[in-house]
Amino acid sequence: MRPAYHSGLRQLVKRYERNPILSPEKWPYRVNAVLNPGAVQFQGRTLLLVRVEDCRGFSHLTVAASEDGKEQWEINPFPSLAAEEQFAEEQWGLEDPRIVWLEEEKCYAITYVSFSKGGPLVSLALTENFKEFVKYGPLLPPEDKDAALFPRRFRADGGKRYALIHRPIIRGEAHIWISFSPDLRHWGDHQILLPVRPGWWDQHRVGLGTPPVATPYGWLIFYHGVRHTASGSLYRVGAALLDLEDPRRVLCRTEEWIMSPQEPYELLGDVPGVVFPTGIIVDEEKNEIRLYYGAADRCVGLAFLRYREFLEHLVEEKTV
Ligand code: BMA
């Protein structure tokens, strides 16, 4: 018997009625697609660092900001963070940024995919103002994607180490991994955090969606899960909680997806059937989570979740 809360989680996700909030038609310069944004509250506004794909098929990242995080986006008229020649790994563009505020360093860490000739890999850039960025270069070898740092270091194992969630592809398997580093440059103690679940909706690939957010119940993460179907790959969304002190411990993981492509803008685009969350804002006062996601690799959608109710239901889920 399924417990009463089952599928209740999905009821707590509401798409913004005026979605998509950003689309290529509304962009100030000619682009093919705008998708998969990082999100952060910055100087009282919601700032999105949006992946923008140009009409050659290469991506860069551009800032868009709004007072309420829903409407009236002020979009930078030129790229904010783009590939540079001295970074060979960026040759085929920058994609899918995730943003985290690093408490100790007092700056934002942006982990993004840089597309090299050798495959996609995760690069790091630091910024204080989203105007000037310091590029750190790649963290781990290809093929790697879907990465975010935690906002603070961990004392587990006696050290004081940064932790990175990422998604290497090894032997063709695409699980979510976690790795540790004393200095953001040297990474080790790699282990699988959330594996794909054979037979399930997330059977073929999983990847981190939004950066970890500390809650009273643990680190909240949303992830995407992929199933290959006769008409292409279906990208859906699940959630999990990780132990606050030892993020290698998965406390719970949703059995069912909480979001699946259903709206026309999620079903029609360059890649039909994709919801791909990459940005999260938690407003505890409003009891609201705002999820920013790429829809069908063409535009950006926004979904609202009731923060406390969502967590209360989520902790009831098992680890499968
Ligand atoms: C993933 C990434 C994302 C993309 C998604 C769906 O592998 O490349 O950038 O949105 O596939 O196509």
Side-chain angles (χ1 to χ4, degrees):
M1 260 275 282
R2 302 215 129 174
Y5 58 78
H6 235 89
S7 81
L9 269 174
R10 207 176 309 149
Q11 313 304 325
L12 299 172
V13 182
K14 302 272 179 248
R15 285 162 174 83
Y16 184 44
E17 67 272 13
R18 301 189 61 188
N19 268 353
I21 55 166
L22 296 171
S23 55
E25 299 77 44
K26 293 183 207 152
W27 216 250
Y29 52 98
R30 198 165 72 89
V31 298
N32 175 55
V34 298
L35 63 161
N36 306 357
V40 77
Q41 277 302 105
F42 180 68
Q43 295 180 339
R45 299 198 295 174
T46 300
L47 181 148
L48 299 183
L49 190 59
V50 185
R51 171 177 166 198
V52 179
E53 193 196 47
D54 65 27
C55 296
R56 302 171 305 163
F58 299 125
S59 294
H60 58 263
L61 312 179
T62 296
V63 166
S66 143
E67 291 290 331
D68 63 4
K70 298 186 256 187
E71 298 287 331
Q72 310 259 328
W73 293 93
E74 194 183 297
I75 302 167
N76 229 28
F78 49 84
S80 307
L81 191 59
E84 291 169 278
E85 245 169 57
Q86 68 266 37
F87 293 90
E89 73 281 1
E90 299 182 345
Q91 195 156 3
W92 291 340
L94 314 186
E95 305 183 354
D96 303 356
R98 275 77 168 186
I99 312 172
V100 161
W101 168 250
L102 290 182
E103 287 159 11
E104 247 178 83
E105 289 70 13
K106 302 272 176 272
C107 67
Y108 295 93
I110 304 161
T111 38
Y112 57 93
V113 173
S114 44
F115 230 111
S116 76
K117 278 187 171 170
L121 36 70
V122 172
S123 289
L124 171 68
L126 301 180
T127 187
E128 287 174 10
N129 51 22
F130 292 94
K131 289 194 174 108
E132 291 116 38
F133 302 85
V134 178
K135 283 184 181 172
Y136 254 61
L139 301 185
L140 288 159
E143 178 166 352
D144 203 7
K145 277 186 173 187
D146 303 324
L149 288 167
F150 286 76
R152 64 171 175 83
R153 295 206 254 175
F154 293 94
R155 291 200 175 273
D157 297 340
K160 203 169 171 243
R161 301 186 301 171
Y162 297 94
L164 178 80
I165 300 180
H166 57 123
R167 206 287 306 280
I169 294 193
I170 293 160
R171 292 188 313 230
E173 293 173 24
H175 312 293
I176 297 176
W177 288 64
I178 188 166
S179 302
F180 293 86
S181 168
D183 57 6
L184 291 175
R185 289 203 184 271
H186 304 89
W187 293 90
D189 283 347
H190 315 287
Q191 68 176 68
I192 292 177
L193 182 68
L194 287 184
V196 295
R197 294 184 287 200
W200 293 62
W201 60 272
D202 50 5
Q203 72 179 108
H204 289 123
R205 283 176 176 216
V206 287
L208 180 75
T210 55
V213 172
T215 76
Y217 299 94
W219 295 101
L220 170 65
I221 56 170
F222 291 89
Y223 71 96
H224 61 262
V226 182
R227 169 178 271 173
H228 303 319
T229 75
S231 55
S233 300
L234 253 180
Y235 280 71
R236 299 184 174 114
V237 181
L241 284 170
L242 314 176
D243 186 90
L244 280 177
E245 294 314 315
D246 183 358
R248 293 168 297 192
R249 281 189 57 220
V250 179
L251 305 177
C252 56
R253 173 176 180 179
T254 51
E255 287 197 10
E256 302 184 355
W257 63 81
I258 59 141
M259 245 180 118
S260 181
Q262 65 180 49
E263 301 297 326
Y265 55 87
E266 299 166 347
L267 295 167
L268 280 177
D270 281 1
V271 186
V274 175
V275 283
F276 198 87
T278 39
I280 182 168
I281 305 280
V282 175
D283 187 330
E284 290 190 34
E285 253 173 53
K286 283 196 190 151
N287 191 31
E288 179 179 279
I289 297 175
R290 299 205 306 271
L291 274 188
Y292 294 92
Y293 64 98
D297 279 14
R298 206 191 84 85
C299 56
V300 175
L302 164 62
F304 300 96
L305 290 74
R306 311 270 305 161
Y307 174 61
R308 278 185 287 278
E309 289 83 340
F310 187 80
L311 285 176
E312 281 159 16
H313 284 305
L314 182 55
V315 288
E316 299 295 327
E317 298 266 333
K318 308 278 177 301
T319 316
V320 191

